[in-house]
Amino acid sequence: NAGVTQTPKFRVLKTGQSMTLLCAQDMNHEYMYWYRQDPGMGLRLIHYSVGEGTTAKGEVPDGYNVSRLKKQNFLLGLESAAPSQTSVYFCASSFGGPQHFGDGTRLSIL
Amino acid sequence: RKEVEQDPGPFNVPEGATVAFNCTYSNSASQSFFWYRQDCRKEPKLLMSVYSSGNEDGRFTAQLNRASQYISLLIRDSKLSDSATYLCVVNRPGANNLFFGTGTRLTVIP
């Protein structure tokens, strides 16, 4: 049982480059989330989705876009990466209660 | 005011000790409460849910005080493997989102 899978695990980008982080879950969860975690800041919600075809802004959505074309996948896009987006990104999914996390993507923007 | 506040620690305790963590939350309408555990450079993992009447899972006991908006986690007979950061988590009322505390770091010393 894979649970929540994130790809890639690590990435280094140059300022201004774009990329997409992929999150896949095999638990048939309705809800999916993208967080970033920075030292001393805890987990902060970027965007989330309450079902296929829906997305909503979280606490820190600026500079990111998301899509949920299929129930099992939730994509996080950075259109023009900035050094302030250097962080660890976690995807999570749930039925509405406790959330299950992927093992994270470590992203560095130079 | 932060939605969830925790003492960041660190708590350094000897093996076999009992240690307690506290957490306060700001929104009295929150209904769901959890403790997560996060190991260094890993994803958060659900440790236990917190129920109104208090609940126990082996060496771990969680309690909720709604009047004071206060959650606690007690760990008895600490093990080296308990060393981690413990995150207090509270739901956002009216939405399927969670607020995560910044965590309390525990180190169990041989």
PDB file of all heavy atoms in Angstrom, chain A residues 37-50:
ATOM      1  N   GLN A  37       6.902  23.575   4.666  1.00  0.00           N
ATOM      2  CA  GLN A  37       7.413  23.601   6.035  1.00  0.00           C
ATOM      3  C   GLN A  37       8.777  24.267   6.040  1.00  0.00           C
ATOM      4  O   GLN A  37       9.705  23.803   5.379  1.00  0.00           O
ATOM      5  CB  GLN A  37       7.514  22.192   6.620  1.00  0.00           C
ATOM      6  CG  GLN A  37       7.859  22.195   8.106  1.00  0.00           C
ATOM      7  CD  GLN A  37       7.791  20.809   8.728  1.00  0.00           C
ATOM      8  OE1 GLN A  37       8.165  19.820   8.110  1.00  0.00           O
ATOM      9  NE2 GLN A  37       7.305  20.731   9.969  1.00  0.00           N
ATOM     10  N   ASP A  38       8.866  25.335   6.799  1.00  0.00           N
ATOM     11  CA  ASP A  38      10.109  26.081   6.940  1.00  0.00           C
ATOM     12  C   ASP A  38      10.506  26.094   8.403  1.00  0.00           C
ATOM     13  O   ASP A  38       9.647  26.027   9.290  1.00  0.00           O
ATOM     14  CB  ASP A  38       9.905  27.517   6.439  1.00  0.00           C
ATOM     15  CG  ASP A  38       9.432  27.553   4.995  1.00  0.00           C
ATOM     16  OD1 ASP A  38      10.249  27.197   4.130  1.00  0.00           O
ATOM     17  OD2 ASP A  38       8.268  27.899   4.745  1.00  0.00           O
ATOM     18  N   PRO A  39      11.805  26.204   8.681  1.00  0.00           N
ATOM     19  CA  PRO A  39      12.273  26.189  10.079  1.00  0.00           C
ATOM     20  C   PRO A  39      11.568  27.237  10.923  1.00  0.00           C
ATOM     21  O   PRO A  39      11.481  28.406  10.539  1.00  0.00           O
ATOM     22  CB  PRO A  39      13.773  26.496   9.938  1.00  0.00           C
ATOM     23  CG  PRO A  39      14.126  26.025   8.571  1.00  0.00           C
ATOM     24  CD  PRO A  39      12.922  26.312   7.724  1.00  0.00           C
ATOM     25  N   GLY A  40      11.043  26.804  12.071  1.00  0.00           N
ATOM     26  CA  GLY A  40      10.399  27.727  12.996  1.00  0.00           C
ATOM     27  C   GLY A  40       9.006  28.177  12.592  1.00  0.00           C
ATOM     28  O   GLY A  40       8.349  28.905  13.339  1.00  0.00           O
ATOM     29  N   MET A  41       8.532  27.746  11.402  1.00  0.00           N
ATOM     30  CA  MET A  41       7.229  28.206  10.915  1.00  0.00           C
ATOM     31  C   MET A  41       6.161  27.127  10.994  1.00  0.00           C
ATOM     32  O   MET A  41       4.988  27.423  10.885  1.00  0.00           O
ATOM     33  CB  MET A  41       7.338  28.680   9.465  1.00  0.00           C
ATOM     34  CG  MET A  41       8.322  29.803   9.245  1.00  0.00           C
ATOM     35  SD  MET A  41       7.767  31.326   9.980  1.00  0.00           S
ATOM     36  CE  MET A  41       6.433  31.763   8.883  1.00  0.00           C
ATOM     37  N   GLY A  42       6.541  25.901  11.138  1.00  0.00           N
ATOM     38  CA  GLY A  42       5.550  24.843  11.121  1.00  0.00           C
ATOM     39  C   GLY A  42       5.014  24.617   9.721  1.00  0.00           C
ATOM     40  O   GLY A  42       5.493  25.193   8.736  1.00  0.00           O
ATOM     41  N   LEU A  43       3.999  23.804   9.625  1.00  0.00           N
ATOM     42  CA  LEU A  43       3.366  23.502   8.343  1.00  0.00           C
ATOM     43  C   LEU A  43       2.387  24.614   7.982  1.00  0.00           C
ATOM     44  O   LEU A  43       1.527  24.968   8.788  1.00  0.00           O
ATOM     45  CB  LEU A  43       2.620  22.174   8.436  1.00  0.00           C
ATOM     46  CG  LEU A  43       3.471  20.914   8.406  1.00  0.00           C
ATOM     47  CD1 LEU A  43       2.711  19.744   8.992  1.00  0.00           C
ATOM     48  CD2 LEU A  43       3.919  20.611   6.994  1.00  0.00           C
ATOM     49  N   ARG A  44       2.503  25.114   6.766  1.00  0.00           N
ATOM     50  CA  ARG A  44       1.576  26.136   6.307  1.00  0.00           C
ATOM     51  C   ARG A  44       0.882  25.651   5.045  1.00  0.00           C
ATOM     52  O   ARG A  44       1.542  25.178   4.114  1.00  0.00           O
ATOM     53  CB  ARG A  44       2.318  27.457   6.045  1.00  0.00           C
ATOM     54  CG  ARG A  44       2.852  28.110   7.322  1.00  0.00           C
ATOM     55  CD  ARG A  44       3.480  29.455   7.028  1.00  0.00           C
ATOM     56  NE  ARG A  44       4.716  29.324   6.268  1.00  0.00           N
ATOM     57  CZ  ARG A  44       5.363  30.336   5.692  1.00  0.00           C
ATOM     58  NH1 ARG A  44       4.867  31.563   5.787  1.00  0.00           N
ATOM     59  NH2 ARG A  44       6.484  30.128   5.049  1.00  0.00           N
ATOM     60  N   LEU A  45      -0.422  25.794   5.010  1.00  0.00           N
ATOM     61  CA  LEU A  45      -1.227  25.297   3.909  1.00  0.00           C
ATOM     62  C   LEU A  45      -1.130  26.233   2.702  1.00  0.00           C
ATOM     63  O   LEU A  45      -1.389  27.435   2.807  1.00  0.00           O
ATOM     64  CB  LEU A  45      -2.685  25.168   4.368  1.00  0.00           C
ATOM     65  CG  LEU A  45      -3.672  24.585   3.367  1.00  0.00           C
ATOM     66  CD1 LEU A  45      -3.312  23.131   3.032  1.00  0.00           C
ATOM     67  CD2 LEU A  45      -5.094  24.660   3.924  1.00  0.00           C
ATOM     68  N   ILE A  46      -0.787  25.662   1.553  1.00  0.00           N
ATOM     69  CA  ILE A  46      -0.639  26.454   0.328  1.00  0.00           C
ATOM     70  C   ILE A  46      -1.962  26.475  -0.436  1.00  0.00           C
ATOM     71  O   ILE A  46      -2.564  27.527  -0.672  1.00  0.00           O
ATOM     72  CB  ILE A  46       0.475  25.879  -0.563  1.00  0.00           C
ATOM     73  CG1 ILE A  46       1.796  25.803   0.196  1.00  0.00           C
ATOM     74  CG2 ILE A  46       0.646  26.743  -1.814  1.00  0.00           C
ATOM     75  CD1 ILE A  46       2.877  25.036  -0.550  1.00  0.00           C
ATOM     76  N   HIS A  47      -2.396  25.304  -0.861  1.00  0.00           N
ATOM     77  CA  HIS A  47      -3.671  25.111  -1.545  1.00  0.00           C
ATOM     78  C   HIS A  47      -4.234  23.761  -1.109  1.00  0.00           C
ATOM     79  O   HIS A  47      -3.487  22.898  -0.651  1.00  0.00           O
ATOM     80  CB  HIS A  47      -3.496  25.085  -3.064  1.00  0.00           C
ATOM     81  CG  HIS A  47      -3.232  26.405  -3.704  1.00  0.00           C
ATOM     82  ND1 HIS A  47      -4.223  27.314  -3.974  1.00  0.00           N
ATOM     83  CD2 HIS A  47      -2.068  26.946  -4.165  1.00  0.00           C
ATOM     84  CE1 HIS A  47      -3.683  28.373  -4.570  1.00  0.00           C
ATOM     85  NE2 HIS A  47      -2.385  28.176  -4.696  1.00  0.00           N
ATOM     86  N   TYR A  48      -5.536  23.608  -1.326  1.00  0.00           N
ATOM     87  CA  TYR A  48      -6.134  22.321  -1.036  1.00  0.00           C
ATOM     88  C   TYR A  48      -7.266  22.047  -2.007  1.00  0.00           C
ATOM     89  O   TYR A  48      -7.662  22.921  -2.792  1.00  0.00           O
ATOM     90  CB  TYR A  48      -6.617  22.235   0.414  1.00  0.00           C
ATOM     91  CG  TYR A  48      -7.740  23.197   0.777  1.00  0.00           C
ATOM     92  CD1 TYR A  48      -9.049  22.754   0.841  1.00  0.00           C
ATOM     93  CD2 TYR A  48      -7.460  24.521   1.090  1.00  0.00           C
ATOM     94  CE1 TYR A  48     -10.065  23.620   1.187  1.00  0.00           C
ATOM     95  CE2 TYR A  48      -8.475  25.394   1.442  1.00  0.00           C
ATOM     96  CZ  TYR A  48      -9.769  24.943   1.499  1.00  0.00           C
ATOM     97  OH  TYR A  48     -10.782  25.804   1.840  1.00  0.00           O
ATOM     98  N   SER A  49      -7.754  20.799  -1.959  1.00  0.00           N
ATOM     99  CA  SER A  49      -8.829  20.394  -2.863  1.00  0.00           C
ATOM    100  C   SER A  49      -9.810  19.512  -2.098  1.00  0.00           C
ATOM    101  O   SER A  49      -9.390  18.612  -1.366  1.00  0.00           O
ATOM    102  CB  SER A  49      -8.244  19.616  -4.041  1.00  0.00           C
ATOM    103  OG  SER A  49      -9.265  18.987  -4.778  1.00  0.00           O
ATOM    104  N   VAL A  50     -11.098  19.785  -2.288  1.00  0.00           N
ATOM    105  CA  VAL A  50     -12.112  18.994  -1.597  1.00  0.00           C
ATOM    106  C   VAL A  50     -12.727  17.946  -2.520  1.00  0.00           C
ATOM    107  O   VAL A  50     -13.676  17.257  -2.128  1.00  0.00           O
ATOM    108  CB  VAL A  50     -13.211  19.891  -0.974  1.00  0.00           C
ATOM    109  CG1 VAL A  50     -12.595  20.839   0.044  1.00  0.00           C
ATOM    110  CG2 VAL A  50     -13.961  20.651  -2.042  1.00  0.00           C
TER     111      VAL A  50
END
